[in-house]
Coordinates of all heavy atoms in Angstrom, one line a residue:
M1 N -90.1 388.4 53.4 CA -90.8 389.2 52.3 C -91.7 388.3 51.6 O -91.1 387.1 51.2 CB -89.7 389.9 51.6 CG -90.3 390.8 50.4 SD -89.0 391.5 49.4 CE -87.9 392.1 50.8
D2 N -92.7 388.5 51.3 CA -93.7 387.9 50.4 C -94.7 388.8 49.7 O -95.0 389.8 50.4 CB -94.3 386.7 51.3 CG -94.9 385.6 50.3 OD1 -95.7 385.8 49.4 OD2 -94.5 384.4 50.7
I3 N -95.1 388.4 48.7 CA -96.1 389.2 47.9 C -97.5 388.9 48.5 O -98.4 389.6 48.1 CB -96.0 389.0 46.4 CG1 -96.5 390.2 45.7 CG2 -96.5 387.8 45.9 CD1 -96.1 390.4 44.2
D4 N -97.6 387.8 49.1 CA -98.9 387.2 49.6 C -99.1 387.6 51.0 O -98.6 387.3 52.0 CB -98.8 385.7 49.4 CG -100.2 385.0 49.9 OD1 -101.1 385.8 50.4 OD2 -100.3 383.9 49.5
P5 N -100.2 388.5 51.3 CA -100.6 388.9 52.6 C -100.8 387.8 53.6 O -100.5 388.0 54.8 CB -101.7 390.0 52.4 CG -102.3 389.7 51.1 CD -101.2 389.0 50.2
V6 N -101.3 386.7 53.1 CA -101.7 385.6 53.9 C -100.4 385.0 54.6 O -100.2 384.7 55.8 CB -102.5 384.6 53.3 CG1 -102.8 383.4 54.1 CG2 -103.9 385.1 52.8
R7 N -99.4 384.9 53.7 CA -98.2 384.3 54.2 C -97.5 385.3 55.3 O -97.0 384.9 56.2 CB -97.2 384.2 53.0 CG -97.5 383.3 51.9 CD -97.5 381.7 52.3 NE -98.7 381.2 53.0 CZ -99.8 380.8 52.5 NH1 -99.9 380.9 51.2 NH2 -100.8 380.4 53.3
I8 N -97.7 386.6 55.2 CA -97.2 387.5 56.0 C -97.8 387.5 57.4 O -97.3 387.4 58.4 CB -97.2 389.0 55.5 CG1 -96.4 389.1 54.2 CG2 -96.8 390.0 56.6 CD1 -94.9 388.8 54.4
K9 N -99.2 387.4 57.3 CA -100.0 387.1 58.6 C -99.5 385.8 59.2 O -99.4 385.9 60.6 CB -101.4 387.1 58.3 CG -102.3 386.9 59.6 CD -103.7 387.0 59.1 CE -104.6 386.9 60.3 NZ -106.0 386.9 60.0
E10 N -99.4 384.7 58.6 CA -98.9 383.5 59.2 C -97.5 383.6 59.8 O -97.3 383.1 60.8 CB -99.0 382.5 58.1 CG -100.3 381.9 57.6 CD -100.1 381.0 56.5 OE1 -99.0 380.8 55.8 OE2 -101.2 380.4 56.2
S11 N -96.7 384.2 59.2 CA -95.3 384.4 59.5 C -95.3 385.3 60.8 O -94.5 384.9 61.8 CB -94.5 385.1 58.5 OG -94.3 384.2 57.3
N12 N -96.0 386.4 60.8 CA -96.0 387.1 62.2 C -96.6 386.4 63.2 O -96.2 386.5 64.4 CB -96.8 388.3 61.8 CG -96.0 389.4 61.1 OD1 -94.8 389.6 61.4 ND2 -96.6 390.1 60.2
E13 N -97.7 385.5 63.0 CA -98.3 384.7 64.1 C -97.3 383.7 64.6 O -97.1 383.5 65.7 CB -99.5 384.1 63.5 CG -100.2 383.2 64.5 CD -100.6 384.0 65.8 OE1 -100.8 385.2 65.8 OE2 -100.8 383.2 66.8
N14 N -96.6 383.0 63.7 CA -95.6 382.0 64.1 C -94.4 382.6 64.9 O -93.9 382.2 65.7 CB -95.0 381.3 62.7 CG -96.0 380.3 62.3 OD1 -96.9 379.8 62.9 ND2 -95.9 380.1 60.9
A15 N -94.0 383.9 64.4 CA -92.9 384.7 65.1 C -93.4 384.9 66.7 O -92.7 384.8 67.6 CB -92.6 385.9 64.4
R16 N -94.7 385.4 66.7 CA -95.3 385.6 68.0 C -95.3 384.5 68.9 O -94.9 384.5 70.0 CB -96.6 386.2 67.8 CG -97.3 386.7 69.2 CD -98.8 387.0 69.1 NE -99.5 385.9 68.8 CZ -99.8 384.7 69.6 NH1 -99.3 384.8 70.8 NH2 -100.6 383.8 69.3
K17 N -95.6 383.3 68.3 CA -95.8 382.0 69.1 C -94.3 381.6 69.6 O -94.2 381.0 70.6 CB -96.3 381.0 68.2 CG -97.9 381.1 68.1 CD -98.5 380.0 67.2 CE -99.9 380.2 66.9 NZ -100.4 379.2 66.0
A18 N -93.4 382.0 68.7 CA -92.0 381.4 69.0 C -91.2 382.5 69.9 O -90.3 382.3 70.4 CB -91.3 381.3 67.7
G19 N -91.9 383.6 70.1 CA -91.3 384.6 71.0 C -90.1 385.4 70.4 O -89.2 385.8 71.1
V20 N -90.3 385.5 69.0 CA -89.0 386.2 68.3 C -89.4 387.4 67.6 O -88.7 387.8 66.7 CB -88.3 385.1 67.4 CG1 -87.7 384.0 68.2 CG2 -89.3 384.6 66.3
T21 N -90.6 387.9 68.0 CA -91.1 389.1 67.2 C -90.0 390.2 67.1 O -89.9 391.2 66.3 CB -92.3 389.7 67.6 OG1 -92.3 389.9 69.0 CG2 -93.5 388.6 67.3
N22 N -89.3 390.4 68.2 CA -88.2 391.4 68.3 C -86.9 391.2 67.5 O -86.1 392.1 67.4 CB -87.8 391.7 69.7 CG -87.1 390.5 70.3 OD1 -87.5 389.4 70.1 ND2 -86.2 390.7 71.3
R23 N -86.9 390.0 66.8 CA -85.7 389.7 66.0 C -86.0 389.5 64.5 O -85.1 389.2 63.8 CB -85.1 388.3 66.6 CG -84.8 388.5 68.1 CD -84.2 387.3 68.7 NE -82.9 387.0 68.0 CZ -82.3 385.9 68.1 NH1 -82.9 384.8 68.7 NH2 -81.0 385.7 67.4
V24 N -87.3 389.5 64.1 CA -87.5 389.3 62.7 C -88.6 390.3 62.2 O -89.2 391.0 63.0 CB -88.3 388.0 62.5 CG1 -87.4 386.8 62.9 CG2 -89.6 387.7 63.4
K25 N -88.6 390.5 60.9 CA -89.5 391.5 60.3 C -90.0 390.9 59.0 O -89.3 390.4 58.1 CB -88.7 392.9 60.0 CG -89.5 393.8 59.3 CD -88.7 395.0 59.1 CE -89.5 396.1 58.3 NZ -88.7 397.3 58.0
F26 N -91.3 390.9 58.8 CA -91.9 390.3 57.7 C -92.7 391.5 57.0 O -93.4 392.2 57.6 CB -92.9 389.1 58.0 CG -92.3 388.1 58.7 CD1 -92.6 388.0 60.2 CD2 -91.5 387.1 58.1 CE1 -91.9 386.8 60.8 CE2 -91.0 386.1 58.7 CZ -91.2 386.0 60.2
V27 N -92.5 391.5 55.7 CA -93.2 392.7 55.0 C -93.7 392.1 53.6 O -93.2 391.0 53.1 CB -92.2 393.8 54.6 CG1 -91.7 394.6 55.7 CG2 -90.9 393.2 53.8
E28 N -94.9 392.6 53.3 CA -95.6 392.4 52.0 C -95.1 393.2 51.0 O -95.3 394.4 50.9 CB -97.0 392.6 52.3 CG -97.9 392.2 51.0 CD -99.4 392.5 51.1 OE1 -99.9 392.6 52.2 OE2 -100.0 392.7 50.1
Q29 N -94.2 392.6 50.2 CA -93.5 393.3 49.0 C -93.0 392.5 47.9 O -92.9 391.2 48.1 CB -92.3 394.1 49.5 CG -92.6 395.3 50.5 CD -91.3 395.9 50.9 OE1 -91.0 395.9 52.1 NE2 -90.5 396.5 50.1
D30 N -92.8 392.8 46.8 CA -92.3 392.3 45.7 C -90.7 392.1 45.9 O -90.1 393.2 45.9 CB -92.7 392.9 44.4 CG -92.3 392.2 43.2 OD1 -91.2 391.5 43.2 OD2 -92.9 392.3 42.2
F31 N -90.1 391.0 45.9 CA -88.6 390.9 46.2 C -87.9 391.5 45.0 O -86.9 392.2 45.4 CB -88.5 389.4 46.1 CG -87.1 389.1 46.9 CD1 -87.2 388.6 48.1 CD2 -85.9 389.0 46.2 CE1 -86.1 388.3 48.8 CE2 -84.8 388.7 46.9 CZ -84.9 388.2 48.3
F32 N -88.4 391.5 43.9 CA -87.6 392.3 42.7 C -87.7 393.7 42.8 O -86.9 394.5 42.1 CB -88.2 391.6 41.4 CG -87.8 390.3 41.2 CD1 -88.8 389.2 41.4 CD2 -86.6 389.9 40.7 CE1 -88.4 387.8 41.2 CE2 -86.2 388.5 40.5 CZ -87.2 387.6 40.8
K33 N -88.6 394.3 43.5 CA -88.7 395.8 43.5 C -88.3 396.4 44.9 O -88.4 397.5 45.2 CB -90.2 396.2 43.4 CG -90.7 395.8 42.0 CD -92.2 396.2 41.9 CE -92.6 395.8 40.5 NZ -94.2 396.0 40.4
T34 N -87.6 395.5 45.8 CA -87.3 395.8 47.1 C -85.7 396.1 47.3 O -84.9 395.2 46.7 CB -87.7 394.9 48.1 OG1 -89.1 394.7 48.0 CG2 -87.3 395.2 49.6
D35 N -85.3 397.1 47.9 CA -83.9 397.4 48.1 C -83.4 396.3 49.2 O -83.9 396.4 50.3 CB -83.8 398.7 48.5 CG -82.2 399.2 48.9 OD1 -81.3 398.3 48.6 OD2 -82.1 400.2 49.6
L36 N -82.4 395.6 48.9 CA -82.0 394.7 49.8 C -80.6 394.9 50.4 O -80.1 394.3 51.3 CB -81.7 393.2 49.1 CG -82.9 392.7 48.4 CD1 -82.6 391.4 47.6 CD2 -84.0 392.3 49.5
S37 N -80.2 396.2 50.1 CA -78.8 396.6 50.5 C -78.5 396.6 51.9 O -77.4 396.5 52.5 CB -78.4 398.0 50.0 OG -79.2 398.9 50.4
K38 N -79.6 396.7 52.9 CA -79.4 396.7 54.3 C -79.5 395.3 55.0 O -79.3 395.2 56.2 CB -80.4 397.7 54.9 CG -80.1 399.1 54.6 CD -81.1 400.1 55.3 CE -80.8 401.5 54.8 NZ -81.7 402.5 55.3
A39 N -79.8 394.3 54.2 CA -80.0 392.9 54.8 C -78.6 392.4 55.2 O -77.8 392.6 54.5 CB -80.6 392.1 53.6
T40 N -78.8 391.7 56.2 CA -77.6 390.8 56.7 C -77.7 389.4 56.5 O -76.8 388.7 56.3 CB -77.4 391.1 58.2 OG1 -78.6 390.8 59.0 CG2 -77.0 392.6 58.5
V41 N -78.9 389.0 56.3 CA -79.3 387.6 56.0 C -80.6 387.6 55.1 O -81.5 388.3 55.4 CB -79.7 386.8 57.4 CG1 -80.1 385.4 57.0 CG2 -78.5 386.8 58.3
V42 N -80.5 386.9 54.1 CA -81.6 386.7 53.1 C -82.0 385.2 53.1 O -81.1 384.4 52.7 CB -81.4 387.1 51.7 CG1 -82.3 386.9 50.7 CG2 -80.9 388.6 51.7
T43 N -83.2 384.8 53.5 CA -83.6 383.5 53.6 C -84.6 383.3 52.4 O -85.7 384.1 52.3 CB -84.3 383.2 54.9 OG1 -83.4 383.5 56.0 CG2 -84.7 381.7 55.0
L44 N -84.3 382.4 51.6 CA -85.2 382.1 50.5 C -86.0 380.7 50.6 O -85.2 379.8 50.9 CB -84.4 382.2 49.1 CG -83.4 383.3 48.8 CD1 -82.6 383.0 47.7 CD2 -84.3 384.4 48.6
Y45 N -87.1 380.6 50.1 CA -87.8 379.3 49.9 C -88.6 379.4 48.6 O -89.8 379.6 48.4 CB -88.8 379.1 51.1 CG -89.3 377.8 51.2 CD1 -88.7 376.6 50.7 CD2 -90.5 377.4 51.9 CE1 -89.2 375.5 50.7 CE2 -91.1 376.2 52.0 CZ -90.4 375.2 51.4 OH -91.0 373.9 51.5
L46 N -87.8 379.5 47.6 CA -88.2 379.8 46.2 C -87.8 378.6 45.3 O -86.9 377.9 45.5 CB -87.7 381.0 45.7 CG -88.0 382.2 46.6 CD1 -87.0 383.4 46.0 CD2 -89.4 382.6 46.5
Y47 N -88.6 378.3 44.1 CA -88.2 377.4 43.3 C -86.9 377.8 42.6 O -86.6 379.0 42.4 CB -89.3 377.2 42.2 CG -90.5 376.5 42.8 CD1 -91.8 377.2 42.9 CD2 -90.4 375.3 43.3 CE1 -92.9 376.6 43.3 CE2 -91.7 374.5 43.7 CZ -92.8 375.3 43.7 OH -93.8 374.6 44.3
P48 N -86.2 376.9 42.1 CA -84.9 377.1 41.4 C -84.8 378.2 40.4 O -84.0 379.0 40.3 CB -84.4 375.6 40.8 CG -85.2 374.7 41.7 CD -86.5 375.4 42.1
E49 N -85.8 378.2 39.5 CA -85.9 379.1 38.5 C -86.0 380.6 39.1 O -85.4 381.7 38.4 CB -87.0 379.0 37.4 CG -88.4 378.9 37.9 CD -88.8 377.5 38.4 OE1 -88.1 376.5 38.6 OE2 -90.0 377.4 38.8
L50 N -86.6 380.8 40.2 CA -86.8 382.1 40.8 C -85.5 382.4 41.5 O -85.0 383.6 41.4 CB -88.0 382.1 41.8 CG -88.6 383.3 41.9 CD1 -89.0 384.1 40.7 CD2 -89.9 383.2 42.9
N51 N -84.7 381.4 42.1 CA -83.5 381.7 42.7 C -82.5 382.2 41.7 O -81.8 383.1 41.9 CB -82.9 380.4 43.3 CG -83.6 380.1 44.7 OD1 -84.2 380.9 45.2 ND2 -83.2 378.9 45.2
L52 N -82.5 381.5 40.5 CA -81.5 381.9 39.3 C -82.0 383.5 38.9 O -81.1 384.2 38.6 CB -81.8 381.0 38.3 CG -81.1 379.7 38.5 CD1 -81.4 378.8 37.2 CD2 -79.7 379.8 38.8
R53 N -83.2 383.8 38.8 CA -83.5 385.1 38.4 C -83.1 386.0 39.5 O -82.8 387.3 39.1 CB -85.1 385.2 38.4 CG -85.6 384.6 37.0 CD -87.1 384.9 36.8 NE -87.5 386.2 37.0 CZ -88.7 386.7 37.5 NH1 -89.6 385.7 37.7 NH2 -89.0 388.0 37.6
L54 N -83.1 385.8 40.8 CA -82.7 386.7 41.8 C -81.1 386.9 41.9 O -80.7 387.9 42.5 CB -83.2 386.1 43.2 CG -84.7 386.5 43.5 CD1 -85.1 385.7 44.8 CD2 -84.8 387.9 43.6
R55 N -80.4 385.9 41.4 CA -79.0 386.0 41.7 C -78.3 387.3 41.3 O -77.5 387.9 42.0 CB -78.3 384.9 40.9 CG -78.4 383.5 41.6 CD -77.7 382.4 40.8 NE -76.8 382.7 39.9 CZ -75.8 381.7 39.4 NH1 -75.9 380.6 40.0 NH2 -75.1 382.2 38.5
P56 N -78.6 387.9 40.1 CA -78.1 389.3 39.7 C -78.4 390.3 40.8 O -77.6 391.1 41.2 CB -78.6 389.6 38.3 CG -79.1 388.3 37.8 CD -79.5 387.3 39.0
K57 N -79.7 390.3 41.3 CA -80.0 391.3 42.2 C -79.3 391.1 43.6 O -78.8 392.0 44.1 CB -81.6 391.1 42.4 CG -82.1 392.2 43.4 CD -83.6 392.0 43.5 CE -84.1 392.9 44.6 NZ -84.0 394.4 44.4
L58 N -79.2 389.9 44.0 CA -78.5 389.6 45.3 C -77.1 389.9 45.1 O -76.5 390.8 45.9 CB -78.6 388.2 45.6 CG -80.0 387.5 45.8 CD1 -80.0 386.1 46.1 CD2 -80.6 388.2 47.1
F59 N -76.5 389.6 44.1 CA -75.1 390.0 43.8 C -74.8 391.5 43.8 O -74.0 392.1 44.4 CB -74.4 389.3 42.5 CG -73.1 389.5 42.3 CD1 -72.2 388.7 43.2 CD2 -72.6 390.3 41.4 CE1 -70.9 388.9 43.0 CE2 -71.2 390.5 41.3 CZ -70.2 389.7 42.1
R60 N -75.7 392.2 43.1 CA -75.5 393.7 42.9 C -75.8 394.4 44.3 O -75.1 395.4 44.7 CB -76.6 394.1 41.8 CG -76.6 395.5 41.6 CD -77.5 395.9 40.3 NE -78.9 395.5 40.6 CZ -79.6 394.4 40.1 NH1 -79.0 393.8 39.2 NH2 -80.8 394.2 40.4
E61 N -76.9 394.0 45.0 CA -77.3 394.8 46.2 C -76.9 394.4 47.5 O -76.7 395.2 48.5 CB -78.8 394.6 46.3 CG -79.6 395.5 45.1 CD -81.0 395.4 45.1 OE1 -81.6 395.3 46.2 OE2 -81.6 395.7 44.1
L62 N -76.4 393.1 47.7 CA -75.9 392.7 49.1 C -74.5 393.0 49.4 O -73.6 392.9 48.4 CB -76.1 391.2 49.2 CG -77.7 390.8 49.2 CD1 -77.8 389.2 49.3 CD2 -78.5 391.4 50.2
R63 N -74.2 393.4 50.6 CA -72.9 393.6 50.9 C -72.1 392.3 51.1 O -72.7 391.3 51.3 CB -72.8 394.3 52.2 CG -73.5 395.8 52.1 CD -73.6 396.4 53.5 NE -74.8 395.7 54.1 CZ -75.2 395.9 55.4 NH1 -74.5 396.7 56.1 NH2 -76.2 395.3 55.8
T64 N -70.8 392.4 51.0 CA -70.0 391.2 51.3 C -70.2 390.7 52.7 O -70.3 391.4 53.5 CB -68.5 391.6 51.0 OG1 -68.2 392.1 49.7 CG2 -67.6 390.5 51.3
G65 N -70.4 389.5 52.8 CA -70.6 388.9 54.1 C -72.1 388.6 54.5 O -72.3 387.9 55.4
T66 N -73.0 389.1 53.6 CA -74.4 388.9 53.9 C -74.6 387.4 53.6 O -74.2 386.8 52.6 CB -75.2 389.7 52.9 OG1 -74.9 391.0 53.1 CG2 -76.8 389.5 53.1
R67 N -75.3 386.8 54.5 CA -75.6 385.4 54.3 C -76.9 385.2 53.5 O -77.9 385.8 53.6 CB -75.8 384.6 55.7 CG -74.5 384.6 56.5 CD -74.7 384.1 57.8 NE -75.3 385.0 58.6 CZ -76.0 384.9 59.7 NH1 -76.0 383.6 60.2 NH2 -76.6 385.8 60.3
I68 N -76.9 384.2 52.7 CA -78.0 383.7 51.8 C -78.3 382.4 52.2 O -77.5 381.5 52.0 CB -77.8 383.9 50.3 CG1 -77.5 385.4 49.9 CG2 -79.0 383.4 49.5 CD1 -77.0 385.5 48.5
V69 N -79.5 382.1 52.7 CA -79.9 380.8 53.2 C -81.1 380.4 52.2 O -82.2 381.1 52.2 CB -80.3 380.7 54.6 CG1 -80.8 379.5 55.2 CG2 -79.3 381.4 55.5
S70 N -80.9 379.3 51.5 CA -82.0 378.8 50.6 C -82.4 377.5 51.1 O -81.6 376.5 51.2 CB -81.4 378.7 49.1 OG -82.4 378.2 48.3
H71 N -83.7 377.4 51.4 CA -84.4 376.2 52.1 C -84.7 375.3 50.9 O -85.5 375.9 49.8 CB -85.5 376.5 52.7 CG -86.2 375.3 53.4 ND1 -87.1 374.5 52.5 CD2 -86.1 374.7 54.5 CE1 -87.6 373.6 53.3 NE2 -86.9 373.6 54.5
E72 N -84.1 374.1 50.8 CA -84.4 373.2 49.8 C -83.8 373.3 48.4 O -83.4 372.3 47.8 CB -85.9 373.0 49.6 CG -86.5 371.9 48.9 CD -86.2 370.5 49.6 OE1 -86.2 370.5 51.0 OE2 -86.0 369.5 49.0
F73 N -83.8 374.5 47.9 CA -83.5 374.6 46.5 C -82.1 375.3 46.3 O -81.8 376.2 47.1 CB -84.6 375.3 45.6 CG -85.8 374.6 45.6 CD1 -86.9 375.1 46.3 CD2 -86.0 373.4 45.1 CE1 -88.1 374.5 46.4 CE2 -87.2 372.7 45.2 CZ -88.3 373.3 45.8
D74 N -81.3 374.9 45.4 CA -80.0 375.5 45.2 C -79.8 376.7 44.4 O -81.0 377.2 43.8 CB -79.0 374.4 44.6 CG -79.2 374.1 43.2 OD1 -79.8 374.8 42.6 OD2 -78.8 372.9 43.0
M75 N -78.8 377.3 44.2 CA -78.7 378.5 43.4 C -77.8 378.2 42.2 O -76.9 378.9 41.7 CB -77.9 379.6 44.2 CG -78.5 379.9 45.5 SD -80.1 380.9 45.1 CE -79.6 382.5 44.9
D76 N -77.9 376.9 41.5 CA -77.4 376.4 40.4 C -75.8 376.4 40.8 O -75.4 375.6 41.5 CB -77.6 377.3 39.2 CG -77.2 376.6 37.8 OD1 -77.3 375.4 37.8 OD2 -76.9 377.3 36.9
D77 N -74.9 377.2 40.0 CA -73.5 376.9 40.2 C -72.9 377.7 41.4 O -71.7 377.8 41.5 CB -72.7 377.2 38.7 CG -72.9 378.6 38.4 OD1 -73.9 379.3 38.8 OD2 -72.2 379.1 37.6
W78 N -73.7 378.3 42.1 CA -73.2 378.9 43.3 C -73.2 377.9 44.4 O -74.2 377.3 44.7 CB -74.1 380.1 43.7 CG -73.9 381.4 43.2 CD1 -73.4 381.8 42.1 CD2 -74.7 382.5 43.6 NE1 -73.4 383.1 41.8 CE2 -74.3 383.6 42.6 CE3 -75.6 382.9 44.7 CZ2 -74.8 384.9 42.7 CZ3 -76.1 384.3 44.7 CH2 -75.8 385.3 43.8
K79 N -72.0 377.6 44.8 CA -71.8 376.4 45.8 C -71.9 377.1 47.2 O -71.3 378.1 47.5 CB -70.4 375.8 45.5 CG -70.4 375.2 44.1 CD -71.5 374.1 44.0 CE -71.6 373.7 42.5 NZ -72.8 373.2 42.0
P80 N -72.6 376.4 48.1 CA -72.8 376.9 49.4 C -71.5 376.7 50.2 O -70.7 375.7 50.0 CB -73.9 376.0 50.0 CG -73.8 374.7 49.1 CD -73.3 375.1 47.8
D81 N -71.3 377.6 51.2 CA -70.2 377.4 52.1 C -70.6 376.4 53.2 O -69.6 375.7 53.8 CB -69.9 378.8 52.8 CG -69.4 379.8 51.9 OD1 -68.7 379.6 50.9 OD2 -69.8 381.0 52.1
N82 N -71.8 376.2 53.3 CA -72.2 375.2 54.4 C -73.7 374.6 54.0 O -74.4 375.3 53.5 CB -72.3 375.9 55.7 CG -72.5 375.0 56.9 OD1 -72.7 373.8 56.7 ND2 -72.4 375.6 58.1
V83 N -73.8 373.4 54.2 CA -75.1 372.7 53.9 C -75.5 372.1 55.3 O -74.8 371.3 55.9 CB -75.0 371.6 52.9 CG1 -76.3 370.9 52.6 CG2 -74.4 372.2 51.5
G84 N -76.7 372.5 55.7 CA -77.2 371.9 56.9 C -78.3 370.9 56.7 O -79.2 371.1 55.7
R85 N -78.4 369.8 57.3 CA -79.4 368.9 57.2 C -80.0 368.6 58.7 O -79.3 368.5 59.6 CB -78.9 367.5 56.6 CG -78.3 367.7 55.3 CD -79.3 367.5 54.2 NE -78.5 367.5 52.9 CZ -78.8 368.4 52.0 NH1 -79.6 369.4 52.2 NH2 -78.1 368.4 50.8
P86 N -81.3 368.5 58.7 CA -82.0 368.2 60.0 C -81.6 366.7 60.4 O -81.3 365.9 59.7 CB -83.5 368.5 59.8 CG -83.6 368.6 58.3 CD -82.4 368.7 57.6

């Protein structure tokens, strides 16, 4: 999900090149105005201050067991269950 249509176009093209279009969905929407309750994985690539603003929404809307993957930036005092490094 991204509010920028150019990012959505790029994401769809990258998914097509990777052959995973049947496994992903990209939508042009405002994260704060979108119902996340059906998500099973939420991947974030946002600055720390935005991650912090999203925490109440994630906690309120996501089901237990939903994975949150944040690339590069942490969620402040929310400690990860796992940290991967390339």
